[in-house]
Amino acid sequence: MELHYPREIKEQEEDSNLSIHDIIHHIGRYWKWFAVSVLICLAAGVFYAMKQTPTFNVYASILIKSKEDSNPMQNQMDVLDNSSLLGMKDNVLDEIEVINSKLLLTKVVNQLKLHTTYFRNKGLKELELYQNSPICVSMLPENQDTLAAPVIMNIKCNNGKISVEGQMKKGTFSSVKFEKTFTSLPAAISTPMGIIRLTASKQLSEGNYKVTLLSPFTAASALQNSLSVELKNKKANVITLSATTKDIRKGQDIIASLIHFYNEASIEEKNKTAYNSIKFINERLGLITGELTDVEKQVENYKQANKLTDIQQESKLYIEQTGDYDKLRLDNETQLNLVQFVDQYIRKEENKFGIVPNIGLKDEALLNVLNEYNKILFQRERLIRTTAADNPVIVDLDRQIRSMRTAIFASIESSRKGLLIAKQNLEQQGSTVSSRIKSVPRQEREFLEIKRQQEIKAALYTYLLQKREENSLTLAISVPAARIIESPIPDDKPASKGASFFLVIALIAGLILPVFVIIPKEILNVRLSEKSQLERMTDVTILGELPDYNGNDTIVVRPGNREPIAEMYRLMRTNLQFILNDKHKKVINITSTEPGEGKSTFSINMAMTLALTGKKVIMVGLDIRKPSLASYINMTDEHGITSYLSGHHTNLEKLVKKTHLHENLFILPAGTVPPNPNELLLRESLDDLFAILRKDFDYIVVDTAPVGLVSDTFLLDRIADATLYIFRLNYSHKNNIKIINDIAKNKKLKNMYIALKGCNLKSNPYGYGKGKNGYYGNK
């Protein structure tokens, strides 16, 4: 065996990275952890897989028709051009939001009673009883709407008795439990949230049932999470609806009901808009008819009074010149009348929540305000069907409507002022042209003014008649907005994961979980735990390893003892003899970093292994600050080397004592603790003492003080031929390696090697393993 002292020492910070082999070997020590973790996770995975109920995807496809498709008259009308139905104008993405809205989903929940779900245990699985439950549980709608949390009821039917155990949340941090037992149904249970009624829908069989009651809004939110509404193709107006449920029939009913309510809402709101427009137009037609009749009579009376039959050629020329201004004035006057009509319509009390149609207004600002106002009215109208007028949401919408009405009045006034200014400008521009017709007779001018009023009233009258007819056709022809392409059908395979998936996840989890325990454990561990850590952090050669020893006897090396730890001391003795390959090299200093690492017991057992070879060995206790060597072998420590160095005892032969352990093993104890240990070790008498011992003994084993606490060991380096530095696994601190690296780098101790204690030789492929008869060599 060739042992060498390292030329260079690694600093701990320079080489702290683990190799792949080290990581595998390090984690391999915890293979039992991984085995147990995998078994537990696989068992949990099997249990979880057995509890899972398969889920299915049920899907359908619908075609969203364009505005012209849903209303054949749309290409001839534009009643609500700037406030399209349901906020949509051929915008499929908007329709997706409408379909997936909680308003429609709440209708689906109420129709299918999805706010109350029923389950029955079948083995480990919990099966949902959709429209097939023998028990029907219900609450009054006004009570169920107020449920802030689910009401969970466990119903047990056994021997003609029906036992009910339930729990509901009463406050933020409190809940109410209730228990009732019945012998027959129907029955009622009084709770703080209202009365819960139980009825039997069919023959009640024995078993355990679970019932969950939710508010319709909460159930709609849950349904929204399980529902997918997507655009199938960006180039087509086709929407795919998909629902994930544990019951195929339930998924089909949900999608079919959702499509039905969507079409119903689109037709209802379209018809309501058209009806409000017709009502508004009829009111305006009544006023315009009277005004037009008055103007026409004025024309007739004027012609009769002034005997006007046809228009003079001269007036035609000026009329042609003023034609453009007349058109602008006509349009301006029309807009003023329309603004006035809208203002009068809104101010009427009976139209407080009536939809305000746009019948040709061109003011964009006013149109935007009216559109927003109509949207809020639509929203209020939807909610008022299912909730009370004092609902906080309705109250908030009423506040918004009042605020919007104020904004509409402001916009109307602003629009009117703008039109009046425009009218004034047109009149100013027309005055220039009017000066040219001074030669036209007064009667002709007066006639033209009356005729202009007649044309304005006639144009407005014709316009309103056209709009009324168009709205009447809209009411007569109502086509659903969505056309079903594919009826609700389920996928061929379940959407949920199979048992193999959960087992693979459990296997992966079982392999990963121990890592999250091992890595923090090792990172937080400040003690050396294995040999590879020491080898990685220092280049000082490890002379040998000693296993853990749980026995009570300090002295493990004795004649005839073949235990593994004794054999490992013998192996270390062999390595030590290669170091002390010169007969003049006899002195071995034993030291460590801190107390408790076992240098004294190591010194005794190492000395014993040397004595067993027939060599004359002496142990010298030079840990004079805290002597313990003699006490380990039950010898007194009253007089020793400190007495000799201080000059109190000069007869060395009386201080050296023969031990009871072996005839070749002697001891020179430390003696009394001196007041000046450091100065005592510097005396030349120490060198003289060791010169005498070298002549009388073959080996001198010196038990010294820990180097991490005092400098005594460095003073003794002058008399040593080799130094054995003790490290103890799971006890020695990792920072202690910095100390030995510094010692080796600065050559403070000569010929230094490491003796490693506390090793697990069973996991070391080069250590002692178990054979047929136990440890190798153990009889």
Side-chain angles (χ1 to χ4, degrees):
M1 177 179 179
E2 181 181 356
L3 297 174
H4 63 278
Y5 193 76
R7 295 181 180 179
E8 296 181 358
I9 300 299
K10 297 178 186 176
E11 290 293 338
Q12 180 181 357
E13 297 78 9
E14 295 177 357
D15 188 21
S16 59
N17 295 325
L18 290 171
S19 66
I20 299 298
H21 179 271
D22 291 335
I23 294 174
I24 295 174
H25 174 70
H26 196 65
I27 294 180
R29 297 191 303 122
Y30 298 93
W31 68 269
K32 292 182 180 179
W33 289 28
F34 286 94
V36 173
S37 176
V38 168
L39 289 176
I40 293 175
C41 288
L42 285 176
V46 171
F47 180 77
Y48 184 78
M50 293 177 66
K51 284 181 64 66
Q52 295 306 301
T53 303
T55 58
F56 298 88
N57 277 334
V58 180
Y59 63 91
S61 296
I62 60 173
L63 173 65
I64 301 298
K65 299 178 182 180
S66 64
K67 201 172 188 182
E68 289 77 10
D69 293 334
S70 62
N71 183 2
M73 297 304 300
Q74 186 62 39
N75 56 351
Q76 303 177 14
M77 61 173 285
D78 195 17
V79 180
L80 296 175
D81 186 52
N82 295 292
S83 56
S84 59
L85 186 62
L86 294 175
M88 176 197 92
K89 185 180 180 182
D90 299 333
N91 192 335
V92 182
L93 296 178
D94 288 347
E95 293 307 295
I96 290 177
E97 296 299 323
V98 173
I99 294 173
N100 203 26
S101 65
K102 284 191 173 64
L103 176 64
L104 292 183
L105 294 178
T106 302
K107 291 182 178 180
V108 174
V109 167
N110 288 327
Q111 184 190 48
L112 302 179
K113 298 182 179 180
L114 301 180
H115 44 66
T116 306
T117 53
Y118 305 85
F119 301 92
R120 183 173 185 177
N121 293 331
K122 185 178 181 181
L124 294 176
K125 294 182 179 180
E126 196 174 64
L127 300 180
E128 182 176 355
L129 303 176
Y130 172 67
Q131 294 186 352
N132 194 32
S133 173
I135 300 177
C136 180
V137 180
S138 62
M139 295 180 69
L140 291 175
E142 56 268 25
N143 292 333
Q144 193 157 359
D145 289 342
T146 61
L147 291 178
V151 177
I152 301 175
M153 301 172 59
N154 294 310
I155 303 174
K156 184 177 181 180
C157 300
N158 188 16
N159 296 328
K161 291 185 178 180
I162 304 170
S163 301
V164 180
E165 294 181 0
Q167 181 176 351
M168 62 171 54
K169 195 171 183 180
K170 186 177 180 181
T172 306
F173 302 103
S174 62
S175 59
V176 176
K177 295 182 179 180
F178 53 88
E179 295 182 6
K180 291 287 184 180
T181 301
F182 307 102
T183 56
S184 63
L185 296 179
I189 301 174
S190 179
T191 70
M193 303 304 295
I195 296 176
I196 300 177
R197 301 186 182 277
L198 286 77
T199 58
S201 58
K202 60 180 182 178
Q203 183 64 34
L204 188 60
S205 58
E206 293 189 352
N208 297 329
Y209 301 88
K210 180 181 177 182
V211 183
T212 302
L213 284 80
L214 301 171
S215 69
F217 185 81
T218 303
S221 298
L223 179 58
Q224 191 177 50
N225 294 331
S226 65
L227 188 69
S228 174
V229 184
E230 297 177 346
L231 185 63
K232 190 171 184 179
N233 191 326
K234 293 183 179 179
K235 296 182 180 180
N237 295 348
V238 177
I239 293 176
T240 300
L241 293 85
S242 175
T244 302
T245 63
K246 296 180 180 180
D247 188 284
I248 295 177
R249 181 186 170 192
K250 179 180 179 180
Q252 292 174 324
D253 291 347
I254 288 172
I255 294 179
S257 297
L258 185 58
I259 296 173
H260 167 74
F261 283 119
Y262 169 73
N263 283 331
E264 185 181 78
S266 66
I267 294 174
E268 180 183 350
E269 294 193 8
K270 184 197 309 178
N271 290 344
K272 182 177 180 180
T273 302
Y275 175 79
N276 280 300
S277 297
I278 291 174
K279 181 181 177 182
F280 173 79
I281 290 171
N282 286 334
E283 291 178 358
R284 303 320 304 164
L285 278 174
L287 296 175
I288 295 300
T289 299
E291 294 176 358
L292 182 59
T293 301
D294 293 340
V295 173
E296 287 177 344
K297 286 183 179 180
Q298 289 181 16
V299 172
E300 180 182 356
N301 294 334
Y302 191 87
K303 282 186 175 183
Q304 289 177 354
N306 295 279
K307 298 180 180 181
L308 297 175
T309 57
D310 54 15
I311 301 175
Q312 299 294 329
Q313 190 67 29
E314 183 180 358
S315 63
K316 289 182 180 181
L317 177 63
Y318 293 117
I319 291 173
E320 291 175 356
Q321 293 178 352
T322 59
D324 293 337
Y325 290 106
D326 290 337
K327 291 179 181 179
L328 294 174
R329 290 172 182 173
L330 176 62
D331 182 70
N332 180 271
E333 191 69 19
T334 301
Q335 290 297 314
L336 278 172
N337 278 278
L338 291 176
V339 170
Q340 182 66 22
F341 293 160
V342 172
D343 182 67
Q344 293 173 358
Y345 177 82
I346 294 177
R347 293 183 183 277
K348 288 184 177 181
E349 184 62 26
E350 61 269 21
N351 297 327
K352 182 179 180 180
F353 299 110
I355 303 300
V356 182
N358 166 31
I359 54 174
L361 290 173
K362 296 182 179 179
D363 190 333
E364 292 294 332
L366 180 57
L367 284 175
N368 291 334
V369 175
L370 290 176
N371 289 341
E372 293 298 322
Y373 181 75
N374 286 340
K375 288 179 181 178
I376 296 175
L377 290 177
F378 278 137
Q379 186 176 0
R380 184 186 184 279
E381 183 66 19
R382 294 189 194 110
L383 294 176
I384 201 67
R385 300 172 190 170
T386 58
T387 58
D390 59 350
N391 187 290
V393 178
I394 300 298
V395 174
D396 183 63
L397 289 176
D398 291 343
R399 181 187 58 77
Q400 294 184 44
I401 290 171
R402 291 192 298 272
S403 177
M404 289 296 298
R405 287 172 64 88
T406 303
I408 290 173
F409 292 145
S411 298
I412 290 174
E413 186 61 26
S414 176
S415 179
R416 182 187 291 113
K417 289 181 180 179
L419 290 172
L420 290 174
I421 292 173
K423 179 179 179 181
Q424 184 179 358
N425 291 336
L426 288 173
E427 289 176 353
Q428 289 176 356
Q429 294 173 3
S431 62
T432 303
V433 179
S434 298
S435 62
R436 299 177 183 176
I437 60 173
K438 290 182 179 180
S439 59
V440 178
R442 177 181 57 82
Q443 294 89 352
E444 188 68 19
R445 292 198 306 272
E446 292 175 352
F447 176 75
L448 288 176
E449 291 177 358
I450 298 173
K451 188 68 175 177
R452 187 181 299 115
Q453 293 295 323
Q454 180 192 22
E455 291 174 352
I456 291 173
K457 302 297 182 182
L460 184 58
Y461 182 79
T462 303
Y463 180 81
L464 291 175
L465 284 177
Q466 179 186 355
K467 295 304 178 184
R468 184 175 66 178
E469 190 65 21
E470 290 172 353
N471 279 274
S472 298
L473 290 173
T474 300
L475 285 173
I477 306 174
S478 296
V479 180
R483 172 188 170 189
I484 299 177
I485 299 176
E486 290 183 358
S487 298
I489 56 175
D491 282 337
D492 297 333
K493 297 181 180 179
S496 56
K497 304 296 182 181
S500 58
F501 172 81
F502 296 110
L503 292 180
V504 171
I505 295 298
L507 177 62
I508 295 173
L511 294 174
I512 292 177
L513 287 177
V515 176
F516 288 99
V517 179
I518 293 170
I519 292 178
K521 176 178 179 293
E522 293 300 325
I523 291 176
L524 297 175
N525 185 16
V526 297
R527 307 286 180 180
L528 282 173
S529 59
E530 57 182 18
K531 177 184 175 182
S532 60
Q533 291 179 331
L534 187 60
E535 290 176 329
R536 191 171 61 253
M537 299 168 69
T538 183
D539 273 340
V540 178
T541 303
I542 299 176
L543 186 68
E545 306 169 52
L546 297 172
D548 286 317
Y549 180 69
N550 298 322
N552 297 323
D553 196 354
T554 304
I555 314 303
V556 296
V557 179
R558 296 183 183 274
N561 186 1
R562 305 295 297 276
E563 291 184 1
I565 188 169
E567 293 300 327
M568 294 308 296
Y569 269 109
R570 292 184 177 96
L571 179 60
M572 193 175 296
R573 176 189 64 194
T574 303
N575 295 342
L576 183 63
Q577 288 173 340
F578 278 102
I579 298 172
L580 305 175
N581 53 8
D582 188 340
K583 64 179 182 178
H584 299 294
K585 294 182 179 180
K586 300 182 177 183
V587 182
I588 309 160
N589 280 359
I590 311 297
T591 189
S592 64
T593 308
E594 54 184 313
E597 292 178 300
K599 61 180 181 60
S600 296
T601 57
F602 177 85
S603 300
I604 297 171
N605 285 284
M606 180 54 66
M608 188 66 181
T609 59
L610 294 171
L612 289 175
T613 62
K615 301 294 184 178
K616 192 176 181 181
V617 182
I618 185 171
M619 299 181 294
V620 181
L622 277 178
D623 186 359
I624 59 177
R625 297 175 185 265
K626 191 177 180 181
S628 59
L629 188 64
S631 62
Y632 279 109
I633 57 176
N634 298 321
M635 296 185 67
T636 60
D637 205 16
E638 183 178 355
H639 300 291
I641 195 170
T642 56
S643 302
Y644 180 83
L645 295 178
S646 61
H648 294 158
H649 290 81
T650 57
N651 190 347
L652 184 60
E653 294 181 358
K654 291 184 178 181
L655 296 177
V656 175
K657 302 175 183 178
K658 188 175 183 178
T659 67
H660 63 277
L661 301 176
H662 196 273
E663 59 183 358
N664 292 333
L665 184 59
F666 297 83
I667 183 172
L668 177 57
T672 306
V673 177
N676 56 342
N678 203 264
E679 290 76 11
L680 206 61
L681 296 177
L682 288 172
R683 294 185 179 183
E684 293 182 2
S685 56
L686 178 65
D687 300 81
D688 297 337
L689 170 63
F690 271 84
I692 296 171
L693 295 177
R694 283 176 183 270
K695 293 178 182 179
D696 295 340
F697 295 92
D698 297 312
Y699 290 103
I700 304 170
V701 179
V702 183
D703 180 29
T704 67
V707 298
L709 302 177
V710 293
S711 62
D712 295 2
T713 302
F714 299 114
L715 301 178
L716 299 175
D717 188 55
R718 68 184 189 276
I719 53 95
D721 297 313
T723 302
L724 293 185
Y725 202 105
I726 307 299
F727 274 99
R728 181 180 169 189
L729 294 182
N730 298 316
Y731 184 88
S732 299
H733 202 286
K734 291 178 182 178
N735 286 334
N736 293 349
I737 302 176
K738 293 182 179 180
I739 297 176
I740 192 175
N741 285 344
D742 178 71
I743 294 172
K745 181 179 180 181
N746 297 293
K747 299 179 180 180
K748 297 179 181 179
L749 297 176
K750 66 170 71 77
N751 213 12
M752 182 173 61
Y753 294 87
I754 294 174
L756 187 59
K757 300 184 68 175
C759 298
N760 182 9
L761 297 183
K762 295 179 183 179
S763 62
N764 188 344
Y766 302 103
Y768 274 65
K770 287 189 176 180
K772 182 177 180 181
N773 299 318
Y775 285 99
Y776 178 77
N778 187 20
K779 293 183 179 180

